[in-house]
Amino acid sequence: MNERDYDVVVVGSGAGGGTVAQALAPMVADGLRVALFEKGPRLRDDEFTGREIEMASALYEDGGGFLTADGTLTLALGSAYGGSTVVYTGTSLTAPERVIRGWGVPGLDHADVVARSRRYADENNVHLLPDDEINDNNRLFVEGCRGAGYAAEQFPINVKGCLGSSLCNLGCPNAAKQGTNRVQLPRAEALGVEVVTRAEVLRVEERALVVRVHDEPQGAKGLPSEWAPGDYRVRARIVVLAAGAVGTPALLLRSALPGLPARVGEGFTCHPAHILVAEHAREITNDVGHPKSYYLDRAEDEGFILETCMYFPFTTAKNLVGFGEAHSRFMNAFRRLQMILVLACDHATPGNRVAIDRDGRAVVHYRFTPDVVRSLVRATRASARIFFAAGAVRVHAPSADPPCLEVSDAARIDERVSERHFLPGRTSVSAAHPMGGCGMGRDAGDSVTDAWGRVHGLPWLRIADASLFPDSLEINPYLSIMALADRVAEAVRAEATR
């Protein structure tokens, strides 16, 4: 086995790992060695084609369809240089004060999280799009919210030179989205941090990683790894794990480190979501322009968030309930479709957790609680009202049977859309906000790490990703992940330079 030595190693290159790498990079000039390992490939700019099928397999774990153990929920997990920041829509919100307070983590202050989030928002060019760049799909959401008695809010997003391709979830083909692949990682590498792609971390040992570097598969997108293919033992004084809320707990569980807190894998949440579509009588601009410019926050009052969205034909088709003529009618109306993504604010629940199978691969156990089903149904009812208020003639509602609501149903939405029609496995549900699994807290009895990401009982081991969240964040998480990762990096800097 090849041997390497570093002062600090980081696993994962997304919002957490990219942030840590950049924050530690100035230490390289002082003689410290820092390396980051990313399982996915590094794509050239011309390989971001925006083609749905080829980009899904190139940028996502399991092509974007990582299934939970019972097959009722798919998770979208980015796997590339930049992690999930390559495939999200750039929406950039700061954590609600009530959520951070509710977590009750000693030493974690909301004002500190906000201050750090704002610094990364500035760094990543977060701003509101001007009115002339808002497409019909988003305008209709605002108008529909107003007509239904709600007040939509605009998402700040992190783009620079956006051309409105609407392909954010397939990796921006115009290099406009400011993920870690565009901002933090290049800066870290310029200062001397070594980034190794196609590098799968098999396990964590005492102050060391066992890494397998893979060859480039024939015909696959992406550059070859920076290291020769093979197995490596990489020793380091400090190890930082940022492989995501599924990857980090699974890596720890298969490593079976002596003294590892028993709660690793517990507390998994993900904002389960599904896509609702509505048909208008005229064509609208939906698949050009930024896809996600507005949202409606009902998390505190009703346990859900609504977000504008525009998904691609394959993704849309698989999210529509049913088959045959009714399904075909919606798909044939693609250029007249308005879309809303409904997200339930789930909470950490016993049994919903990350585990591993006999081969050490991640397995996510997730059951929809009655509260989650209730939130999804409330969200669907609210969305149907918004669609009809915006002028839609027909709404596809998975929690209705049959799932098509006509204008004549507008007065009886509560009757048509019901929890009794939500059938796991029949209703397509997905999630792109995996959280928890290595939650922060007071001690090993209630958590995995302290407020600075240090694993209880293993002071050389740190966590710096969304697995730190003790419970659901109830908003889009990437800025909060960066803020927590920045705290981890601050603590690592202090320790590494002693």
Side-chain angles (χ1 to χ4, degrees):
M1 183 177 290
N2 302 286
E3 305 279 342
R4 297 284 190 278
D5 290 283
Y6 289 88
D7 293 287
V8 183
V9 291
V10 182
V11 181
S13 66
T19 298
V20 171
Q22 178 186 256
L24 299 184
M27 298 196 315
V28 177
D30 299 327
L32 275 70
R33 299 191 68 195
V34 181
L36 181 149
F37 300 97
E38 165 56 52
K39 185 170 69 173
R42 183 197 303 250
L43 270 63
R44 301 189 310 268
D45 284 353
D46 63 358
E47 292 181 302
F48 289 93
T49 63
R51 299 187 187 107
E52 184 174 9
I53 303 300
E54 66 179 62
M55 295 314 299
S57 60
L59 298 176
Y60 287 92
E61 192 93 20
D62 291 349
F66 182 98
L67 274 171
T68 52
D70 68 359
T72 61
L73 173 69
T74 57
L75 300 173
L77 310 173
S79 182
Y81 174 84
S84 290
T85 69
V86 178
V87 293
Y88 74 144
T89 49
T91 51
S92 306
L93 297 173
T94 54
E97 192 277 338
R98 63 179 172 77
V99 170
I100 301 300
R101 177 168 31 88
W103 285 357
V105 177
L108 183 66
D109 177 67
H110 177 255
D112 182 58
V113 174
V114 170
R116 293 174 194 263
S117 297
R118 286 177 177 161
R119 181 147 48 84
Y120 284 98
D122 291 341
E123 190 170 293
N124 288 7
N125 199 42
V126 170
H127 64 286
L128 299 176
L129 285 180
D131 284 348
D132 61 359
E133 295 183 21
I134 304 298
N135 67 11
D136 289 344
N137 186 50
N138 283 281
R139 289 185 192 285
L140 288 167
F141 180 77
V142 176
E143 293 170 13
C145 281
R146 193 178 300 124
Y150 298 114
E153 299 175 77
Q154 189 170 1
F155 270 122
I157 58 172
N158 66 352
V159 296
K160 186 182 289 184
C162 178
L163 300 180
S165 68
S166 195
L167 296 169
C168 308
N169 295 127
L170 298 179
C172 179
N174 305 308
K177 187 169 51 184
Q178 301 300 290
T180 58
N181 59 319
R182 299 293 176 193
V183 182
Q184 284 75 30
L185 293 168
R187 292 179 183 178
E189 290 188 277
L191 290 174
V193 172
E194 289 185 54
V195 174
V196 185
T197 56
R198 302 190 188 277
E200 179 184 11
V201 177
L202 302 179
R203 62 182 182 274
V204 182
E205 298 179 343
E206 176 82 16
R207 298 181 190 275
L209 301 175
V210 176
V211 182
R212 177 165 296 162
V213 175
H214 295 275
D215 208 349
E216 179 189 1
Q218 190 172 10
K221 287 180 181 289
L223 298 169
S225 176
E226 294 75 7
W227 285 8
D231 288 353
Y232 294 78
R233 174 170 287 105
V234 183
R235 291 179 290 271
R237 292 162 53 199
I238 301 172
V239 174
V240 181
L241 303 184
V246 174
T248 291
L251 174 57
L252 286 174
L253 289 168
R254 67 173 174 267
S255 300
L257 291 163
L260 193 67
R263 289 194 57 78
V264 171
E266 301 289 344
F268 180 82
T269 62
C270 60
H271 296 160
H274 56 209
I275 301 167
L276 301 185
V277 305
E279 180 183 342
H280 285 262
R282 61 175 178 85
E283 286 193 5
I284 64 172
T285 52
N286 53 17
D287 62 352
V288 293
H290 189 270
K292 188 167 290 191
S293 301
Y294 285 90
Y295 67 104
L296 174 66
D297 184 355
R298 301 293 297 168
E300 185 173 12
D301 298 319
E302 298 187 86
F304 67 80
I305 302 167
L306 306 182
E307 300 182 353
T308 51
C309 67
M310 190 65 206
Y311 288 98
F312 322 105
F314 177 82
T315 304
T316 302
K318 86 177 182 61
N319 277 278
L320 297 180
V321 171
F323 301 92
E325 184 179 344
H327 186 280
S328 178
R329 186 168 58 172
F330 273 108
M331 289 307 300
N332 283 325
F334 195 79
R335 294 194 179 282
R336 289 182 277 122
L337 293 185
Q338 181 188 353
M339 293 193 190
I340 297 175
L341 184 69
V342 306
L343 300 93
C345 299
D346 54 344
H347 290 287
T349 301
N352 284 350
R353 68 185 309 273
V354 178
I356 54 174
D357 64 14
R358 66 179 62 185
D359 296 319
R361 293 175 298 206
V363 177
V364 176
H365 297 276
Y366 191 91
R367 298 256 181 203
F368 301 106
T369 65
D371 282 345
V372 164
V373 174
R374 201 170 298 122
S375 293
L376 288 172
V377 167
R378 285 176 182 151
T380 301
R381 289 169 174 165
S383 298
R385 293 189 177 92
I386 291 166
F387 281 136
F388 285 131
V393 297
R394 189 173 294 111
V395 173
H396 181 274
S399 301
D401 188 16
C404 182
L405 306 181
E406 304 288 348
V407 171
S408 57
D409 293 314
R412 56 188 194 105
I413 289 173
D414 287 353
E415 174 190 341
R416 290 291 321 281
V417 179
S418 168
E419 294 163 37
R420 69 179 182 278
H421 300 312
F422 180 91
L423 301 176
R426 172 182 178 271
T427 305
S428 179
V429 184
S430 60
H433 299 165
M435 299 166 280
C438 295
M440 300 174 288
R442 187 175 304 278
D443 54 38
D446 69 0
S447 57
V448 176
T449 83
D450 65 12
W452 297 89
R454 189 199 315 259
V455 175
H456 300 302
L458 299 170
W460 52 272
L461 182 59
R462 306 268 180 164
I463 310 294
D465 57 29
S467 66
L468 289 171
F469 296 1
D471 202 353
S472 166
L473 188 65
E474 303 186 14
I475 59 160
N476 302 37
Y478 111 90
L479 270 186
S480 301
I481 298 170
M482 298 186 94
L484 295 184
D486 189 67
R487 288 168 56 88
V488 173
E490 180 181 318
V492 169
R493 282 197 304 270
E495 186 174 328
T497 53
R498 283 176 189 162

